[in-house]
Amino acid sequence: MKRGRTLLSISMTVLWFLLAPVAYADSAIGPPAPAIATPPSPVVITALRFEGTSTTGGIPVFVQLYNNSDELVDTRGWRLVFSTESAAATLATFDSWLLPRGYVVAGDATVSGADYTFALDDSMAQQAAHTVGRTVSLEPSANFAAQSVGLPFYTYGAGQWLQRTQTSSGKYNLTGKASDFTAQNGAAQLYSGGRYTPALASTGLSITEILPAAHDCPPTANDLRCNDYIKLYNAGSAPIDLANYRLRSNYGGTKSGSSNTFQLQGILTPNAYLTIHTKNDNSPLSLLDNGGYVWIEDAFGLQIYDPVVQYPDGDSGSAWAFDGTAWRWTTNPQPLGANNFPAELPQTIEDSVVSLAPCDPGQERNPATNRCRSIASTAAEIFTPCKP
């Protein structure tokens, strides 16, 4: 009995250790972390049209989308999908950025000026023509939630099209109610052209002169050389829309800001110059005095255009300018025209002699070496008179 009681005691002890709760110093027991909601897409469907009616079916004719934000949106890889109860087809796969407050239109061959053109295969078209339940969905990247417009949740009659309603502040309704879209009669007024892809080259626009350390001027002076400036030149054969570009200064890797990023505007004609001497808030431009970089990029900073110009530390009032072959300093900045490089006058011997110390008595300066030498004796030239 004693042996049996001992075994029972040992067994109970082992069981207690196995069932006892274990505490870990680096663990915590609590409610699960709340799920982070995926934000809604900044791009929304604002208009769409189908053949037929909401109760008879019909294939899609057009879908209009709108960037409902003030930021450029990267829509590359996003899809616009049309689906029925049993099949789905991609109407468009986006391949660009979408401008702030910009529109794009995906439409069939009857829609003139569409950004994307689609055509359904026969099988999908037949299903759509006889199916009441149809959905158009925008499928963005994983950063945003998808959105759909389902039919016949929104109703429309023959010849009508659906348009998303707006609030009194001009924003689009996104409440998920049947009143978010209303049926419209007649031809649709569509907007497109919001696709944005930066140009791969600057099409002739170049930096030709930089004044990083302006002249010292009195407060009443009205001269562009009294401010730092960057001079641009159109070396191409066609006018350049400067709204497609912006100027950057400072160093690579620095964040774009009002002090080093300058939006351009206007049209620059061929062989014309433009000098940027103020920031976008009209305050004076200020470049690094002891050297830095200046370059041109597209209006949204997606593409940097060669060449990136590096300027060294220089004297106040001198400009770092391109002479057609290389960059070098000039003491004659030209903010309103072609670059100018004054000729450097060679130093003459007379100029050099003036700065030298005079020779000692009995010496003269050798004109060939500029060194002092003993004056040659003239005794041999004094002759003794002959006797009578």
Side-chain angles (χ1 to χ4, degrees):
M1 286 295 293
K2 183 177 181 181
R3 184 171 178 266
R5 287 196 299 270
T6 303
L7 291 175
L8 179 60
S9 176
I10 294 174
S11 300
M12 294 298 293
T13 303
V14 171
L15 182 61
W16 183 86
F17 276 109
L18 291 176
L19 297 179
V22 180
Y24 297 95
D26 58 349
S27 300
I29 299 176
I36 300 175
T38 304
S41 168
V43 180
V44 297
I45 298 172
T46 56
L48 63 164
R49 184 171 206 160
F50 293 84
E51 292 181 350
T53 69
S54 58
T55 58
T56 62
I59 62 176
V61 178
F62 66 74
V63 182
Q64 178 181 265
L65 301 103
Y66 174 67
N67 180 358
N68 205 31
S69 74
D70 295 321
E71 303 294 332
L72 187 73
V73 177
D74 185 0
T75 61
R76 293 175 299 171
W78 293 24
R79 296 194 311 150
L80 186 65
V81 178
F82 168 66
S83 59
T84 64
E85 296 170 350
S86 59
T90 298
L91 299 180
T93 300
F94 303 130
D95 58 2
S96 67
W97 287 262
L98 185 54
L99 291 170
R101 305 296 173 182
Y103 290 89
V104 292
V105 172
D108 64 15
T110 66
V111 181
S112 177
D115 299 283
Y116 299 92
T117 302
F118 59 79
L120 299 178
D121 61 34
D122 292 340
S123 174
M124 190 66 185
Q126 290 177 6
Q127 290 188 48
H130 301 90
T131 302
V132 175
R134 289 155 292 153
T135 302
V136 175
S137 301
L138 176 63
E139 298 182 357
S141 65
N143 296 328
F144 301 105
Q147 61 161 293
S148 300
V149 178
L151 303 173
F153 183 75
Y154 300 105
T155 60
Y156 61 94
Q160 292 186 320
W161 53 284
L162 294 174
Q163 184 175 40
R164 190 182 289 273
T165 56
Q166 291 179 296
T167 65
S168 58
S169 63
K171 295 182 179 180
Y172 282 102
N173 276 326
L174 299 171
T175 62
K177 297 180 180 179
S179 59
D180 284 354
F181 282 87
T182 57
Q184 306 291 325
N185 295 306
Q189 175 63 60
L190 301 178
Y191 304 95
S192 62
R195 295 166 68 181
Y196 178 77
T197 300
L200 297 179
S202 60
T203 62
L205 184 65
S206 62
I207 300 168
T208 186
E209 185 175 275
I210 303 169
L211 183 66
H215 286 265
D216 293 328
C217 299
T220 56
N222 186 20
D223 191 323
L224 291 179
R225 291 170 293 185
C226 296
N227 287 337
D228 295 357
Y229 69 71
I230 303 169
K231 187 171 69 178
L232 303 176
Y233 177 62
N234 181 0
S237 58
I240 296 175
D241 186 356
L242 296 176
N244 295 322
Y245 305 96
R246 70 184 190 184
L247 268 177
R248 284 287 307 275
S249 67
N250 220 325
Y251 290 93
T254 54
K255 186 177 180 181
S256 172
S258 60
S259 64
N260 62 9
T261 306
F262 322 111
Q263 298 291 153
L264 304 177
Q265 58 183 348
I267 303 296
L268 189 61
T269 57
N271 302 314
Y273 295 90
L274 175 67
T275 298
I276 308 301
H277 59 94
T278 60
K279 296 183 286 188
N280 293 125
D281 61 0
N282 290 324
S283 61
L285 187 68
S286 180
L287 301 174
L288 296 174
D289 293 345
N290 58 349
Y293 296 85
V294 175
W295 66 92
I296 299 171
E297 56 190 28
D298 75 283
F300 293 94
L302 303 177
Q303 178 74 44
I304 294 177
Y305 300 115
D306 291 330
V308 175
V309 181
Q310 180 182 13
Y311 64 91
D313 188 7
D315 296 330
S316 176
S318 293
W320 186 244
F322 188 63
D323 65 6
T325 303
W327 286 84
R328 58 191 178 100
W329 289 107
T330 176
T331 57
N332 189 21
Q334 295 293 314
L336 299 178
N339 296 347
N340 181 269
F341 299 88
E344 296 181 3
L345 298 176
Q347 190 179 38
T348 63
I349 292 177
E350 288 78 8
D351 293 336
S352 300
V353 171
V354 170
S355 62
L356 298 176
C359 295
D360 294 334
Q363 292 183 323
E364 64 180 2
R365 192 166 299 281
N366 186 338
T369 65
N370 268 348
R371 295 181 178 180
C372 293
R373 67 181 181 184
S374 298
I375 299 176
S377 174
T378 58
E381 299 176 0
I382 302 174
F383 299 97
T384 303
C386 296
K387 295 181 179 180

